[in-house]
Amino acid sequence: FIWAVLAIDLLQKGVMPIMTITELAANKKPIEKLDDTYKIALNSANIEWTDSHTKQRFSLLLSLILSNRMLLNSREIDQLLEVGEDESIIMFENLQSFLSCTVEHPAHILHKSFASYLQSPARIPSEPWYIDTAKENQIIIRHCFIAMRELSFNNYRSISEVEKEATVGEIPKRILYSALHWAEHLRGAMFSEDNLGALRLFLNERILFWFELLLYLREASQVASRSIIHAIRWTSVSATIQISLLELIKVCRPTIRSYRPFCKMPMRLH
């Protein structure tokens, strides 16, 4: 069914339908046929695969969508990743056979098989659209830490339930996304000294403001503990890590546990 939908889409939009249908019918095995169809469709997209900048943008933008966490529209993706205005929507418009996205509506892939295809080195060992998620997560986590620099004391004061929904809507999506999902990207990223330094700065200067936001969103009981665990495991892979950083992370865990009784209450940390 997935193959048939994609094939019909290609035939409707293609400039050479006879050649396209011959290519589509060339392989008999279902998985190989689907992979070949993805290859034909990506080659047919208006994307300059030989341009290194275009390839890097494709990998970065698609990595964020494939992570399948909080759904963001193209403008919010531009702001989080600090790419040029409308750069993501221009890329996504060339990939309409695979994903749905507008300036107003969140981006999402149309089927999980496309995500598996793009991230499988065995299936696409030398294709320019292969996405190394560990490499791209290094970049995404850096942008998450940059976005969370905007967290500061008393950003999120105690308010009534009536006011809460409106106030949450005013928090920039790049900050919400970063606060909720930075550790997931850290877990999936290769170790680097640059991101280690960014993590150290975040723990020293922004962790209480981050926790205050999670309390406000009623996400602290799940997100905070899980994030600290991911951070401990990520830093533990380095033999050169300073003990003080690892100890600082470990100290955060009992602090988070001590606030669990308040995790369902809108409150402010002092």
Side-chain angles (χ1 to χ4, degrees):
F1 176 77
I2 305 164
W3 177 87
V5 171
L6 187 58
I8 291 170
D9 184 74
L10 283 172
L11 292 173
Q12 289 177 333
K13 296 178 181 178
V15 294
M16 301 181 68
I18 300 300
M19 182 179 295
T20 301
I21 200 168
T22 301
E23 290 180 293
L24 292 173
N27 214 310
K28 303 301 181 183
K29 295 181 180 180
I31 295 299
E32 291 181 8
K33 181 181 289 188
L34 183 58
D35 286 1
D36 285 345
T37 306
Y38 281 142
K39 182 177 180 179
I40 293 168
L42 286 165
N43 274 321
S44 301
N46 188 26
I47 296 175
E48 185 55 63
W49 294 112
T50 58
D51 180 70
S52 59
H53 175 78
T54 301
K55 169 61 175 68
Q56 289 168 0
R57 278 289 180 262
F58 170 86
S59 295
L60 181 61
L61 295 171
L62 268 292
S63 290
L64 189 64
I65 296 177
L66 298 182
S67 66
N68 198 30
R69 295 183 176 95
M70 180 189 294
L71 298 179
L72 304 172
N73 62 38
S74 65
R75 183 173 291 115
E76 292 160 349
I77 292 172
D78 290 342
Q79 292 170 351
L80 174 61
L81 299 179
E82 298 181 297
V83 298
E85 185 177 358
D86 294 331
E87 190 164 341
S88 63
I89 194 63
I90 293 171
M91 177 68 72
F92 297 152
E93 284 176 349
N94 294 318
L95 298 167
Q96 293 183 46
S97 298
F98 313 103
L99 57 85
S100 173
C101 181
T102 67
V103 175
E104 296 82 16
H105 298 96
H108 64 277
I109 58 171
L110 300 179
H111 197 275
K112 291 181 179 180
S113 65
F114 183 56
S116 300
Y117 172 73
L118 291 178
Q119 299 173 92
S120 174
R123 292 166 70 181
I124 48 174
S126 59
E127 300 295 355
W129 45 77
Y130 167 65
I131 296 177
D132 185 342
T133 52
K135 179 181 177 182
E136 301 307 327
N137 274 322
Q138 280 189 304
I139 302 173
I140 295 173
I141 184 60
R142 185 171 71 244
H143 287 290
C144 287
F145 284 135
I146 290 172
M148 289 191 293
R149 290 176 190 170
E150 297 182 32
L151 295 174
S152 60
F153 179 70
N154 205 27
N155 273 154
Y156 312 103
R157 62 189 185 281
S158 295
I159 59 173
S160 69
E161 288 299 310
V162 175
E163 296 175 301
K164 181 176 180 180
E165 184 175 349
T167 305
V168 170
E170 294 173 1
I171 301 172
K173 279 290 184 69
R174 69 181 186 282
I175 295 178
L176 282 177
Y177 182 93
S178 299
L180 293 172
H181 303 298
W182 67 267
E184 301 293 333
H185 289 293
L186 186 71
R187 180 181 65 167
M190 295 183 293
F191 183 85
S192 73
E193 293 294 334
D194 287 344
N195 282 333
L196 178 63
L199 175 61
R200 180 184 292 111
L201 189 66
F202 169 72
L203 293 172
N204 281 321
E205 298 184 358
R206 290 290 181 270
I207 189 166
L208 285 181
F209 306 142
W210 167 69
F211 192 48
E212 180 181 30
L213 174 58
L214 295 184
L215 285 170
Y216 176 73
L217 298 173
R218 296 185 177 179
E219 295 282 358
S221 61
Q222 296 296 322
V223 174
S225 294
R226 184 173 67 241
S227 298
I228 296 303
I229 291 171
H230 290 336
I232 291 172
R233 290 174 177 170
W234 183 81
T235 53
S236 297
V237 304
S238 172
T240 61
I241 183 174
Q242 294 182 10
I243 298 300
S244 59
L245 176 59
L246 192 56
E247 290 303 318
L248 176 60
I249 297 173
K250 290 179 178 178
V251 165
C252 294
R253 291 190 65 189
T255 304
I256 290 168
R257 289 195 187 102
S258 69
Y259 279 100
R260 280 186 175 176
F262 306 102
C263 287
K264 296 184 178 181
M265 299 171 57
M267 62 175 295
R268 181 174 71 236
L269 292 178
H270 294 279

